[in-house]
Amino acid sequence: MAYNLKETTQKPERLTGGHRMCAGCGAPVVVRTILRALKEEDHAVIGSATGCLEVSTFLYPFTAWKDSFIHSAFENAGATVAGVEAAYTSLKKQGKLDDTYKFIAFGGDGGTYDIGIQSLSGAMERGHDMVYVCYDNGAYMNTGIQRSSATPKYADTTTSPAGTAVPGKQQYRKDLTKVMIAHGIPYVAQSAPFKNFKDLYEKAEKAIYTPGPAFLNVLAPCPRGWRYESERLMELCEIAVDTCFWPLYEVINGEYKLTYKPKNKRPISDWLEAQGRFKHVAKNPEVVAEIQQVIDERWETLLRLCGEEA
């Protein structure tokens, strides 16, 4: 069925309001969109690594989740959900369960790129029928905005502070999407809560209903860590996509497909100037030119992999 925003938003919520996420945070927007891709008759088991999403949506005995929910430690969300999926598969084979369940793990970039990558990699390599979603906000936001391997170069964080000697983080961010592609799993995609949410919804639906392991890397801006006004959430997503800092694409059984190509690619300076964490370099032409070159090279590489022309 073709995507219809009005019909989609009328589906029952599986993540309720009343949670404690910050205004202008991208994570709950990402989660709500992904869970809407579930068929209404299907049940879900949700796992979440420790992080902003977990501590803000589940404070015993209260929960914002309508589906079964498991709080995992920072390092083992992938293993936890994989274990539940394995138990479910066994019970189905024994005829002890009739209902259809889907298995989804959520983790921030700290619990995915860094601390949780071992259990994530193992779950994907073993072929569990599950989806792992990384909501990437580019730092350890929940514990004080420390840098992670997803933090962009030159970002000002509490553990990579910008000063006169060192202008913020000194390393470029890890490309975790490509790491997951290298696992050879059936479905990998990169998305964002963008425009009418069509891209994210359709990729979530594919990930959930493609047999076997799937991975979604989704941009989730953070107003505290990125330092933007909360009402600019969707604008930040649009700038990230249109500058090609965060390209939208999917890889189905090893085949790359670009799902959005900006008609007019915006300069990376638009991205830098929109966030307080880059204010120390946004007006530095040499640094901006360096970042632009890296973005352009990565974009051109992706276009070639997707069989697209620049």
Side-chain angles (χ1 to χ4, degrees):
M1 181 182 294
Y3 175 77
N4 184 297
L5 177 61
K6 184 177 180 179
E7 292 179 3
T8 299
T9 55
Q10 291 175 347
K11 295 176 72 172
E13 290 287 356
R14 291 176 181 254
L15 180 72
T16 67
H19 52 70
R20 296 166 175 82
M21 300 295 279
C22 296
C25 172
V29 178
V30 169
V31 172
R32 291 173 67 198
T33 303
I34 289 171
L35 296 186
R36 283 196 182 110
L38 285 159
K39 297 176 183 176
E40 292 185 40
E41 65 270 22
D42 287 346
H43 303 284
V45 175
I46 310 295
S48 179
T50 296
C52 291
L53 181 65
E54 183 276 318
V55 301
S56 298
T57 60
F58 185 83
L59 184 64
Y60 185 81
F62 304 104
T63 179
W65 302 87
K66 292 289 189 73
D67 291 286
S68 299
F69 179 79
I70 305 172
H71 166 212
S72 297
F74 235 143
E75 70 275 8
N76 66 348
T80 300
V81 174
V84 179
E85 185 274 340
Y88 165 78
T89 300
S90 175
L91 291 171
K92 287 281 280 190
K93 287 181 178 178
Q94 296 175 55
K96 295 181 179 180
L97 278 178
D98 294 324
D99 292 336
T100 298
Y101 281 81
K102 296 297 179 181
F103 301 87
I104 307 172
F106 290 97
D109 51 279
T112 306
Y113 281 67
D114 298 339
I115 300 173
I117 193 169
Q118 180 174 333
S119 65
L120 165 61
S121 178
M124 299 292 101
E125 186 273 333
R126 290 191 301 272
H128 292 277
D129 190 6
M130 60 177 282
V131 181
Y132 190 104
V133 181
C134 175
Y135 61 96
D136 187 339
N137 54 31
Y140 290 85
M141 302 303 185
N142 180 55
T143 52
I145 315 176
Q146 299 93 348
R147 59 90 79 195
S148 75
S149 62
T151 304
K153 189 175 183 180
Y154 296 117
D156 178 26
T157 76
T158 55
T159 51
S160 62
T164 55
V166 180
K169 188 191 173 199
Q170 292 298 286
Q171 302 81 22
Y172 282 100
R173 62 186 301 278
K174 181 192 296 179
D175 192 339
L176 184 62
T177 306
K178 285 190 175 180
V179 173
M180 300 316 299
I181 292 168
H183 283 67
I185 59 180
Y187 190 78
V188 178
Q190 193 163 281
S191 190
F194 177 66
K195 294 190 181 294
N196 71 346
F197 301 93
K198 180 177 186 290
D199 187 86
L200 179 55
Y201 179 91
E202 291 184 341
K203 286 173 179 172
E205 188 174 46
K206 290 178 185 178
I208 293 168
Y209 292 101
T210 294
F215 176 79
L216 295 175
N217 202 6
V218 188
L219 189 69
C222 171
R224 292 189 66 246
W226 295 18
R227 296 176 224 163
Y228 62 85
E229 296 299 321
S230 60
E231 64 269 19
R232 298 187 69 193
L233 167 62
M234 299 307 297
E235 181 187 354
L236 263 293
C237 292
E238 185 170 348
I239 296 173
V241 173
D242 282 339
T243 58
C244 298
F245 170 83
W246 193 264
L248 306 184
Y249 68 100
E250 62 187 2
V251 180
I252 305 172
N253 293 317
E255 293 190 12
Y256 281 73
K257 179 184 178 183
L258 196 68
T259 56
Y260 176 80
K261 186 176 182 180
K263 291 183 179 179
N264 297 297
K265 184 168 172 284
R266 296 172 66 170
I268 198 62
S269 56
D270 289 358
W271 166 252
L272 300 173
E273 292 170 5
Q275 303 168 65
R277 61 176 175 166
F278 294 117
K279 68 178 182 179
H280 57 291
V281 295
K283 300 297 184 181
N284 186 323
E286 291 184 2
V287 173
V288 173
E290 176 199 328
I291 298 172
Q292 186 69 67
Q293 181 179 352
V294 172
I295 295 297
D296 290 345
E297 289 174 353
R298 292 183 176 183
W299 175 242
E300 290 166 7
T301 297
L302 178 60
L303 289 177
R304 287 195 296 270
L305 289 168
C306 296
E308 297 271 349
E309 294 184 359

